[in-house]
Amino acid sequence: MQQYETYMEKCIELAKQGEGETSPNPMVGCIVLDKSGNVISEGFHAKCGKNHAERDALLKITPEIAKGGTLIVNLEPCSHYGKTPPCADLIIEYGIKKVVIGMRDVNPIVEGNGIKKLTDAGIEVVEGILENEARKLNEIFITNQKEKRTFVALKTATTLDGKIATSIGDSKWITSTPARQEVRRIRKKYDAILTSSSTIIADNPTMEHKNKIILDRTLKTDFKNANIYKSGNIHVFFDKNLTPPQIPDINFIPTPTINEKLDIEFIIKKAYKIGIMSILAECGGKLNGALLNYTDKIYHFLAPKIISDNTAKSAFDGKNITLIRDTLDFKFDDMQTFEPDIMLTYYKMQK
Ligand code: AOF
Ligand code: ZN
């Protein structure tokens, strides 16, 4: 078992080579051992539409050397004809004797059917190796498949007293270079970043990304000159009662409002409809507050600095909770150091 865990860790590492490219598909890595237990091939799913991890690994070798071997993969091999034929069939064709799996596929077309195909063909299947790690790796895919919705994460960077800017809006830089580099790495894991007109006007950020979601209810940002609009596919959500400017490269999406605020639920549902499977929100306190009810995960960078001013800008604003029993509660996940800062990750907790 210990040996399988080590190989599964390696599968997860291989899978991560496809990070940011596989959506809406999961990240999958695969290792093949021959009948004496030597590693004879590795593979991963590089991009949606390309070969699955198992096919990628098996096509590098012949059935002759794979016969009687073991295949290790972090997700149950698929049983369906999608963009590629079923991986389970190829595994059978190659004469593999044992398949070791991290987690069952949550895609209802596959769920359990891949395993059934393998066992029906007389292959031994070992399940649940590093299952928690396998599930965490594909938390976005699991949410998409199980709940048919976009996974929403939020990133914030604060002082020890929970502030993202001083009273006059100074915010550069609360966190250090290593922490900001990590933010760029995190962005790549998500299909889109999301920010608001206030952040664009206050900071004029570039936020390099292939997909950008901008919340600009009154269409007040500078669509011609603001840095954010200079690259990527841009989706601007605005009050449906207004008329957007004619800018061919920007997808303006008319949005309903609630109490003069854009309807967040509409925006997140719309994102899913246009194929955005995950969002990383990076915005100011007001929008962060409004997004909290829809947030699955938070990346919270904490710098060892104190502003000590209650008119400085808070990371989360507008919920105005008066009783501790009513707070929004989160479950601690992890802590990493990016000296001198730390990054906390936590998940939404159901009360
Ligand atoms: C695997 N290994 O590497 C991947 C799997 O559209 P398709 O044909 O690529 O199929 C996508 C589905 O296949 C996806 O929803 C998931 O159930 C499975 N992805 N399975 O065994 C892989 N990428
Ligand atoms: Zn497959």
Side-chain angles (χ1 to χ4, degrees), residues 238-311:
F238 70 99
D239 182 342
K240 66 177 172 41
N241 298 308
L242 303 177
T243 308
Q246 295 283 338
I247 302 174
D249 290 343
I250 298 184
N251 177 23
F252 286 98
I253 303 172
T255 308
T257 58
I258 303 170
N259 298 328
E260 308 215 320
K261 298 257 163 32
L262 291 173
D263 179 345
I264 303 285
E265 196 168 326
F266 172 92
I267 294 168
I268 295 171
K269 284 192 173 150
K270 183 77 180 175
Y272 191 67
K273 283 191 202 132
I274 61 178
I276 293 172
M277 296 293 127
S278 59
I279 292 173
L280 179 69
E282 296 186 58
C283 23
K286 292 238 163 54
L287 187 52
N288 278 352
L291 283 170
L292 275 177
N293 292 351
Y294 305 95
T295 300
D296 296 291
K297 181 175 193 171
I298 296 182
Y299 299 91
H300 193 154
F301 290 85
L302 207 52
K305 294 182 164 75
I306 291 176
I307 296 176
S308 182
D309 175 1
N310 77 358
T311 63

Side-chain angles (χ1 to χ4, degrees), residues 16-30:
K16 284 182 183 166
Q17 291 188 43
E19 197 161 72
E21 300 293 332
T22 64
S23 176
N25 278 358
M27 286 175 263
V28 187
C30 175

